[in-house]
Amino acid sequence: MLKVSSLESGYGETQVLHGVDMDIRKGSVHALLGRNGVGKSTMLKTLIGQLPVRRGRITFQETDITALPSYAIARHGMAYVPETRDIFGALTVRENLQLASRLAPSEGAWSMQDTLAFFPNLEKRLNNGGHQLSGGEQQMLAIGRALMTDPNILILDEPTEGLAPIIIQQIFEKLLALKARGMTILLVEQNLHFALGLADDISLMSRGEIVWHGTSETLAHDTAAQSRWLGV
Ligand SMILES: Nc1ncnc2c1ncn2[C@@H]1O[C@H](COP(=O)(O)OP(=O)(O)OP(=O)(O)O)[C@@H](O)[C@H]1O
Ligand SMILES: [Mg+2]
């Protein structure tokens, strides 16, 4: 559903991605893993149009989106939750969610009720400001907001970063439930255990290139690849 070939991008003089190939199947969870600074977040920013493509091609649901601006890519159904989560701290949880549904009105989209039923933690916090939420609640709000835009793919950059183990487990179960509903997910993670439990397919990145790809099951048994590319 999302095909990337020979993708190059970077910042100014610095080239970060040196010809990335990836193929994400509809309904699958695909994890992109690698050490710090190898280009994972750069890859996501390039996919969603926040960084221009220098070379290569991105095809999403048979449409060439390589040169599209980020708002047009979002309209094709790519929802992105950045590392920083980017919720509106000065707005309440209710206002954050209302904004999402207003920005992307769509027939099949989740309503606020659907979103609160899925994330009951948020229901108790509806009138709280975004900045009053815990890290886990912020992550749930960010994911909830993304879901309300009726995405065809959900792109998550390190959703577990900085969260306590019990909260990581909650996020894990939510993503597993989304997977069971058929949601396509592209996940960047530092937590190998989390990624292996959730993903069907894995790509390992090093210095802006994909150096290994295969199923989670294969990686779980490939301790050489784990130690070489992830340092575990
Ligand atoms: N805005 C920027 N301007 C210039 N260089 C950048 C910028 N953002 C990232 N870089 C550089 O690009 C390279 C890749 O960074 P990127 O954030 O994509 O890595 P990452 O794999 O997501 O790492 P991490 O695991 O730490 O999140 C790094 O060398 C980084 O210093
Ligand atoms: Mg990153």
Side-chain angles (χ1 to χ4, degrees):
M1 132 185 272
L2 177 62
K3 268 194 163 62
V4 177
S5 52
S6 310
L7 193 68
E8 298 184 17
S9 87
Y11 310 87
E13 302 278 279
T14 316
Q15 179 150 346
V16 175
L17 301 183
H18 300 276
V20 173
D21 295 307
M22 266 175 93
D23 191 350
I24 296 163
R25 299 177 291 127
K26 188 170 163 43
S28 71
V29 176
H30 196 117
L32 173 61
L33 312 178
R35 294 176 196 250
N36 287 328
V38 296
K40 305 180 298 294
S41 298
T42 302
M43 172 71 184
L44 300 190
K45 287 181 204 158
T46 308
L47 287 178
I48 58 127
Q50 270 187 16
L51 277 176
V53 173
R54 294 181 175 180
R55 278 192 65 185
R57 189 182 162 111
I58 307 170
T59 315
F60 183 49
Q61 303 176 123
E62 318 296 325
T63 305
D64 187 339
I65 60 161
T66 312
L68 293 185
S70 56
Y71 73 85
I73 292 174
R75 220 177 272 161
H76 274 88
M78 273 201 202
Y80 164 64
V81 178
E83 250 170 315
T84 48
R85 292 158 196 162
D86 283 4
I87 60 165
F88 297 105
L91 301 183
T92 63
V93 167
R94 179 183 281 109
E95 289 163 341
N96 268 279
L97 293 173
Q98 281 168 342
L99 209 56
S101 60
R102 221 170 292 152
L103 287 176
S106 154
E107 290 225 330
W110 284 22
S111 66
M112 179 146 6
Q113 284 71 29
D114 296 331
T115 309
L116 296 174
F118 192 70
F119 291 116
N121 294 18
L122 293 180
E123 181 135 42
K124 302 171 212 145
R125 303 293 248 149
L126 270 177
N127 297 315
N128 287 115
H131 58 78
Q132 292 175 303
L133 302 182
S134 68
E137 289 166 340
Q138 287 188 8
Q139 187 60 246
M140 290 179 200
L141 177 57
I143 295 173
R145 246 182 21 179
L147 291 170
M148 287 178 76
T149 68
D150 196 21
N152 297 321
I153 189 169
L154 184 59
I155 299 181
L156 304 170
D157 199 348
E158 301 203 28
T160 68
E161 198 192 6
L163 302 182
I166 186 167
I167 310 297
I168 292 177
Q169 185 59 30
Q170 287 177 13
I171 303 275
F172 182 85
E173 279 157 22
K174 291 301 165 191
L175 296 182
L176 212 53
L178 289 175
K179 176 181 172 170
R181 292 172 181 223
M183 178 64 72
T184 310
I185 300 174
L186 171 59
L187 171 75
V188 162
E189 251 307 322
Q190 291 284 344
N191 183 330
L192 176 64
H193 181 69
F194 186 93
L196 288 177
L198 207 56
D200 302 290
D201 302 321
I202 308 246
S203 296
L204 301 185
M205 181 175 269
S206 178
R207 298 183 182 194
E209 289 180 84
I210 301 300
V211 289
W212 188 99
H213 73 98
T215 63
S216 282
E217 219 176 0
T218 314
L219 183 62
H221 295 106
D222 191 343
T223 49
Q226 287 181 27
S227 80
R228 179 157 184 208
W229 305 117
L230 303 171
V232 294

